Amino acid sequence: MYTDIVMDHFMNPRNVGEIENADGIGEVGNIKCGDIMRIYIKVENDVIEDIKFKTFGCGSAIAASSVATEIIMGMTVEDALKVTNKQVIDALGGLPPVKIHCSVLAEQALKAAIYDYATKNNLEFEGLKGYNPVEDHDHHDVVDIEF
Ligand code: FES
C-alpha cells in the first residue's frame, strides 16, 4: 500500500523539530482526520535556509512533511510557493488515494509559514497573490490550530 520512500520518510523523518526565532511559522490542521502540521522556516536573502516541521498525524502526513522539507530546503521563497502537493506525492513515489489530503496539508502548512514571514516583514510575493489563510483553509478543509 505504501512505497518504500513513504516508509523510509515515516520511519526516519528528515528535518523534524522547531527553529528558534523562525522567520515564519505555519500551522494547519485537517478537521476530518484531526491531524495537525506545523512548519518553521528560516529565510535569508529570500532563500529558505532552514525548514523544520512537527506533525501530529498519520504516517503519510509525516512522510509528506519530511519529503516537503527536503524539496524546499534551499529554494527561493517564490519557488517554494510553486511547490504543489502533487510534487510531494511524486517525490514519495505515490500515495494511496485516501491519503492525498495528507500531502495537501504539507503544501498548506508551507504556504501558511511563508504567509506569516511575508506578513511580519511587509513583503509581497507573486505566489501569495489572492492567498487568504481563512478562505484557503475553508477550501481545503484546513483550519488554524493552536498547539
Ligand atoms: Fe489526515 Fe493523514 S490522515 S493527514
Side-chain angles (χ1 to χ4, degrees):
M1 182 172 177
Y2 293 108
T3 66
D4 289 347
I5 310 173
V6 172
M7 288 313 289
D8 179 36
H9 277 273
F10 169 55
M11 301 299 280
N12 311 291
R14 323 318 190 243
N15 306 307
V16 176
E18 297 180 19
I19 297 178
E20 249 183 76
N21 303 317
D23 295 312
I25 302 174
E27 291 172 357
V28 290
N30 183 293
I31 300 168
K32 284 194 185 130
C33 64
D35 292 346
I36 301 165
M37 193 181 290
R38 184 187 274 190
I39 284 186
Y40 300 78
I41 53 170
K42 192 91 201 148
V43 185
E44 220 137 311
N45 298 324
D46 258 0
V47 171
I48 299 181
E49 294 283 347
D50 199 9
I51 175 163
K52 290 206 187 308
F53 79 92
K54 272 189 163 177
T55 294
F56 300 91
C58 73
S60 298
I62 290 167
S65 13
S66 170
V67 89
T69 61
E70 283 197 329
I71 295 172
I72 288 147
M73 186 88 75
M75 272 189 175
T76 62
V77 172
E78 210 56 92
D79 282 347
L81 283 167
K82 291 183 193 134
V83 172
T84 63
N85 76 304
K86 166 99 176 55
Q87 270 168 275
V88 171
I89 295 169
D90 288 347
L92 288 171
L95 275 177
V98 292
K99 291 289 176 181
I100 299 298
H101 76 270
C102 317
S103 63
V104 173
L105 213 54
E107 182 190 315
Q108 286 301 303
L110 172 69
K111 218 166 199 185
I114 295 176
Y115 180 78
D116 183 42
Y117 163 69
T119 308
K120 281 178 181 153
N121 293 282
N122 260 325
L123 296 170
E124 282 187 15
F125 293 101
E126 193 60 33
L128 279 180
K129 287 231 164 84
Y131 175 73
N132 174 334
V134 178
E135 211 180 277
D136 244 45
H137 290 176
D138 283 349
H139 287 159
H140 293 94
D141 214 7
V142 171
V143 291
D144 275 322
I145 305 279
E146 284 301 320
F147 282 86

